Amino acid sequence: MPHTAALQRWTEGVLVYRRHVIIGCLLAAVACLWYATGTLRLNTDILGLFPAQSGWRELYTEFENTFTQYPGELQLHVTADTPEQARAQAQAVYYQLPPQLFRNVYYPTTWPFFRRQALLYLDSAALQALTVRLQAARPWLQRLQHNPALHGVLSPSGTDSTVYTRAVAQTLEAHATGHRLPLPWQELLLGTETHSEYILAQPRQRVARAALLQYLHALQERLHIRLHLTGEWLPVQQQPSVHIGIWLLPLLAALAVLRSIALALTTAVTLACGVAATLGYAAALYGELNLISVLGLWLQLGLGASWAAQYALHYQAGLHIGRTLPAAAASSAQVLLPVGLTVALSGFALLAVPHRGLAELGALVGIGALLNLLLCFSLLPALLSCCRLPAVPPRHATPYSLPPGTRRWLVLLALLAGGMVWHRADFAEQRLQASTTAQPLLLVAEHADAARAGARQLRHTPGIRKVETIWDWLPAEQSRKTALLQPLAGLLTPAAPPPQQVHRPPRLQAALERYMARLHSLPATARDPALAALHSDLLGDLPATLQALSEALRGQAFTLQELPINVRNRWISPDQHYLVRAWPAAAVDMPALLHRLQIPRLTGIPVLQQAAARATVHTLLLALLLIAAVTILLCRLAGHSSTVPVLSAALTILLSTAAWIGSGAAMDYINSAALPLLGISSIACGLQYRCSPLSARHPAHTAIMLGTLTGLGCAGSLILSRHTGLSGAGWLLALGTGLGLPGILITDRAATRRKRIWQS
């Protein structure tokens, strides 16, 4: 055949200049790797994978342009055991967020406006109960402000409220048993019951997410706090060990299967050069890899190892009859060329898919397949010519027979798998997503009346747990609350010294006596630290809380225009658009909720995830159909049967998807991209097996086994990733890789038996 003769002459030329070929390929691989290391980056933007012209993307882009602070905002939630601890830890975090990493940092609790109006944000009943307590404790609080000492806290005479004495007694009882319990001054004096504080931060655009995440993690460890991150800006964690250890997998798999150091090294070097060249191509063309296109390296490693192994084993098996490398290239081309061209064209067919992630994945798969073919017929023979391989007698694959009824069970298994996938048809909207209940629905209204009407509709919709608008920042019943605060205007004026006779309540007196008994039982060196701890728990936050109470007692009614400008800008845009935010319930059926709402301009992360899920499913179906069409067309042109490759690929995809969904795991935008890869991989292995003559079936078995082990190893490295999507893709690829070879053998035997029946 013309192409085999051309390859034979090409290989003869390679052997003449083998040193130049080896040195040139290695230098080119090093150059590509060096360029990719300095240029290539990982883009974790999932939204950018979809066409910008989609209606749902245009609506969210309009929201981003209208309210510019939300898309890049990060919310840091600090949670502690008491309100005092939460505020102290939040202040420590606030002062340690450097301007080199964050362009804006807001801590609303510390703003003078909210310190002054803090009591107005309490519920009317809670504020009334607080004012009654404060009136009853007026003499005691005045003495504490005049002289905040331990004696004053332990002498709450003149107060008719038992709330304060009970809290002091509880702190004393805790210290009497060797424990610590700070006095909750903020809850007692300000009515604050929340144990969490939040900080709004806007990271700088040029700061790497990994570096920012590392800094926040180190800050959490250094301050010993509980820090939780939410918001539109979410850091993506990566596992560096995955990228480092992945290069050792082909060599280990080659050593295990080929049982020859020379063959293993030549295969690994050829494979490494192909991956380096592919990375260089990606760096030059795109400058980045997205979370889907990076999966193409898995396919290149698995198929590249299989093709290189088949060439090398075919050459070694013919050494006893004097087969040369050019002759081995000519005979191997009958198998590798159809397989490689099918993989390349199947990858390039994905460029027609309206999905940036799959399109870039297809480009990398196509280029990687062509590079693997080029290196298999250039670098690999040059390397093999430098090795002394022992002649191995040819081994023929042992024919096997299917047990009775296997075909029926196979059809039944495929039907069950397809039925499970079809039964989960709603996975396009429910399973194919991350958690949406932690992100709000967003409604951008053109004027205030439209915002009020939209908020009213959202509040009356089942499945919505909270709705927020700009008007929620205006406390209700302001006139009544200010009237309740007027009698407390002189609450913290200086008072006369406390009376000489102290009458403590019985519980407080008993708690004090138990504490004193424990204090006297301690060694002399431990008494001062114990007293210092008691002083800290009883008086530590008192001065700051009294100051905050003094400011809050001067609160006055205010209007929308008097809110801080930073708050107004978060809800009202410069062109007078109003924002409404609605949080779905925890266990809500998101597709049903969005169907009930039917609000035209509704957007937000939950809406994006539902729309992106539907687009992803349609795109995946189109990609699988394109791959099958290209395979059938090329097999027809080459005169090969496409039954086994296509059926084995369909069986692998069905079983892998059914096993994944049946285990309760969720499909998402990243791991679903493993399905086209599994289809291409299964088709390639099926063609490699079917195109091999019967005398070369054993090298084909070994080569496919090597590709399977390499694919399993690479999939295992993805499983170790901290990124949920990449880890799920690793599990799916591992399932499909493990099912690939048995599926090929079973479908090949079933197809052969069916062909004999037809012929008879």
Side-chain angles (χ1 to χ4, degrees):
M1 300 178 69
H3 64 274
T4 57
L7 271 178
Q8 191 167 355
R9 291 193 299 270
W10 166 269
T11 308
E12 291 173 355
V14 166
L15 295 179
V16 173
Y17 300 99
R18 62 181 182 181
R19 294 183 180 178
H20 300 81
V21 171
I22 294 174
I23 295 176
C25 289
L26 293 179
L27 290 178
V30 171
C32 289
L33 191 59
W34 175 80
Y35 177 72
T37 303
T39 306
L40 204 60
R41 66 185 184 91
L42 183 63
N43 185 1
T44 58
D45 181 19
I46 297 179
L47 190 62
L49 301 178
F50 299 92
Q53 296 78 17
S54 304
W56 50 277
R57 276 209 61 187
E58 291 178 347
L59 190 60
Y60 189 75
T61 303
E62 181 183 347
F63 159 73
E64 290 181 325
N65 296 332
T66 305
F67 296 94
T68 57
Q69 70 274 20
Y70 277 103
E73 187 176 78
L74 178 65
Q75 297 179 9
L76 290 78
H77 296 263
V78 180
T79 307
D81 297 331
T82 63
E84 289 78 10
Q85 292 178 358
R87 179 165 298 186
Q89 294 175 3
Q91 289 178 350
V93 172
Y94 173 73
Y95 289 113
Q96 295 195 39
L97 296 179
Q100 295 82 3
L101 299 179
F102 301 92
R103 53 189 174 93
N104 290 315
V105 180
Y106 303 110
Y107 183 22
T109 306
T110 61
W111 292 356
F113 177 85
F114 291 111
R115 289 174 61 89
R116 186 173 62 254
Q117 310 292 355
L119 294 179
L120 294 182
Y121 282 97
L122 294 178
D123 183 74
S124 296
L127 180 59
Q128 186 172 5
L130 178 63
T131 55
V132 172
R133 292 203 310 266
L134 292 177
Q135 282 283 18
R138 178 190 292 264
W140 183 49
L141 294 177
Q142 289 177 344
R143 288 194 299 271
L144 285 178
Q145 187 190 26
H146 179 75
N147 183 20
L150 194 61
H151 176 74
V153 178
L154 297 177
S155 306
S157 59
T159 174
D160 297 330
S161 176
T162 60
V163 175
Y164 303 102
T165 56
R166 186 187 308 115
V168 175
Q170 289 175 352
T171 300
L172 284 173
E173 290 169 353
H175 279 261
T177 58
H179 301 85
R180 297 190 61 174
L181 179 64
L183 198 62
W185 285 112
Q186 293 186 28
E187 182 178 348
L188 295 174
L189 301 184
L190 297 174
T192 304
E193 297 181 358
T194 178
H195 291 188
S196 64
E197 295 281 333
Y198 72 95
I199 300 172
L200 303 177
Q202 295 177 346
R204 295 190 179 274
Q205 294 182 353
R206 296 184 178 180
V207 176
R209 294 189 175 190
L212 186 58
L213 181 65
Q214 184 178 3
Y215 177 81
L216 293 177
H217 179 71
L219 182 63
Q220 179 182 9
E221 295 294 329
R222 184 168 68 252
L223 298 179
H224 303 287
I225 60 175
R226 298 195 295 269
L227 187 63
H228 180 60
L229 305 179
T230 60
E232 301 287 339
W233 190 98
L234 293 177
V236 179
Q237 306 179 46
Q238 300 297 329
Q239 177 62 279
S241 61
V242 174
H243 305 288
I244 295 173
I246 197 172
W247 305 106
L248 299 178
L249 300 174
L251 180 60
L252 297 178
L255 284 174
V257 175
L258 301 178
R259 300 179 181 179
S260 171
I261 296 178
L263 289 181
L265 288 177
T266 55
T267 301
V269 170
T270 305
L271 198 55
C273 290
V275 173
T278 304
L279 291 176
Y281 160 80
L285 186 61
Y286 300 112
E288 63 184 18
L289 292 175
N290 57 65
L291 290 173
I292 291 180
S293 62
V294 72
L295 299 177
L297 298 178
W298 168 86
L299 185 66
Q300 184 175 7
L301 286 170
L303 295 183
S306 178
W307 298 350
Q310 175 144 354
Y311 183 103
L313 290 173
H314 189 68
Y315 164 65
Q316 187 183 29
L319 286 177
H320 73 288
I321 58 174
R323 179 181 296 165
T324 61
L325 281 169
S331 56
S332 298
Q334 299 177 8
V335 178
L336 298 184
L337 278 182
V339 175
L341 291 177
T342 302
V343 172
L345 292 179
S346 298
F348 290 136
L350 297 181
L351 292 173
V353 172
H355 189 285
R356 178 189 166 194
L358 288 177
E360 293 183 5
L361 172 65
L364 289 182
V365 168
I367 291 297
L370 294 180
L371 288 174
N372 280 338
L373 281 179
L374 178 62
L375 292 173
C376 278
F377 294 107
S378 57
L379 178 60
L380 184 59
L383 292 173
L384 289 175
S385 65
C386 300
C387 303
R388 294 183 178 179
L389 300 178
V392 178
R395 297 173 59 186
H396 300 285
T398 304
Y400 66 97
S401 59
L402 292 175
T406 301
R407 286 190 299 118
R408 298 188 186 92
W409 285 106
L410 181 63
V411 172
L412 179 60
L413 185 61
L415 291 176
L416 288 176
M420 178 176 291
V421 176
W422 180 260
H423 176 67
R424 295 294 185 93
D426 61 343
F427 84 106
E429 299 178 353
Q430 288 183 318
R431 307 293 292 175
L432 191 63
Q433 61 180 347
S435 175
T436 56
T437 57
Q439 300 291 347
L441 297 167
L442 305 173
L443 174 62
V444 180
E446 296 181 353
H447 48 81
D449 293 338
R452 289 192 178 97
R456 188 163 48 251
Q457 180 181 355
L458 288 169
R459 287 192 177 98
H460 289 85
T461 301
I464 298 294
R465 60 182 175 88
K466 184 174 67 171
V467 178
E468 279 190 1
T469 63
I470 181 65
W471 296 279
D472 293 324
W473 290 81
L474 294 177
E477 302 179 333
Q478 293 192 56
S479 58
R480 180 187 176 188
K481 293 177 181 178
T482 53
L484 290 173
L485 293 178
Q486 285 180 358
L488 300 176
L491 175 68
L492 297 180
T493 56
Q500 295 182 356
Q501 294 183 355
V502 177
H503 301 284
R504 297 189 181 92
R507 179 178 177 180
L508 179 58
Q509 183 66 30
L512 180 60
E513 291 176 357
R514 284 197 297 271
Y515 173 76
M516 294 302 297
R518 183 181 183 278
L519 185 66
H520 289 301
S521 66
L522 295 175
T525 55
R527 293 175 184 174
D528 289 341
L531 284 174
L534 180 64
H535 187 278
S536 174
D537 286 351
L538 289 177
L539 296 171
D541 201 48
L542 177 60
T545 307
L546 288 175
Q547 178 63 29
L549 177 62
S550 177
E551 297 179 19
L553 291 176
R554 298 195 296 268
Q556 298 293 332
F558 59 93
T559 62
L560 196 66
Q561 287 71 25
E562 294 175 306
L563 281 170
I565 185 64
N566 291 328
V567 175
R568 293 203 308 272
N569 289 342
R570 293 175 59 84
W571 298 96
I572 305 177
S573 66
D575 55 355
Q576 297 303 304
H577 281 73
Y578 287 74
L579 178 65
V580 180
R581 306 176 74 188
W583 275 264
V588 68
D589 185 352
M590 189 61 64
L593 175 63
L594 296 179
H595 180 72
R596 287 196 302 268
L597 288 174
Q598 293 295 328
I599 299 179
R601 298 184 60 82
L602 193 66
T603 184
I605 298 299
V607 177
L608 294 182
Q609 288 179 334
Q610 296 301 314
R614 290 190 293 270
T616 300
V617 171
H618 298 157
T619 304
L620 287 175
L621 293 177
L622 177 59
L624 293 175
L625 288 176
L626 286 174
I627 293 170
V630 169
T631 302
I632 294 173
L633 178 61
L634 291 179
C635 289
R636 290 287 184 182
L637 293 177
H640 297 295
S641 174
S642 60
T643 304
V644 172
V646 174
L647 285 182
S648 63
L651 183 63
T652 300
I653 292 175
L654 278 177
L655 293 179
S656 302
T657 308
W660 181 254
I661 295 178
S663 66
M667 302 290 290
D668 58 36
Y669 315 108
I670 309 302
N671 61 37
S672 59
L675 300 182
L677 286 178
L678 286 178
I680 295 176
S681 175
S682 298
I683 287 173
C685 293
L687 280 176
Q688 185 176 354
Y689 178 80
R690 290 288 293 179
C691 293
S692 300
L694 293 177
S695 59
R697 282 289 172 88
H698 186 270
H701 283 174
T702 307
I704 295 174
M705 181 61 70
L706 174 59
T708 301
L709 291 178
T710 305
L712 284 174
C714 298
S717 68
L718 289 175
I719 292 173
L720 299 178
S721 174
R722 295 179 182 177
H723 190 278
T724 306
L726 292 179
S727 178
W731 281 109
L732 270 174
L733 292 174
L735 283 172
T737 305
L739 294 171
L741 185 57
I744 291 171
L745 297 177
I746 293 175
T747 52
D748 174 69
R749 186 63 179 174
T752 303
R753 183 175 179 181
R754 186 68 177 175
K755 182 178 180 180
R756 291 174 181 173
I757 293 175
W758 274 103
Q759 290 177 351
S760 62

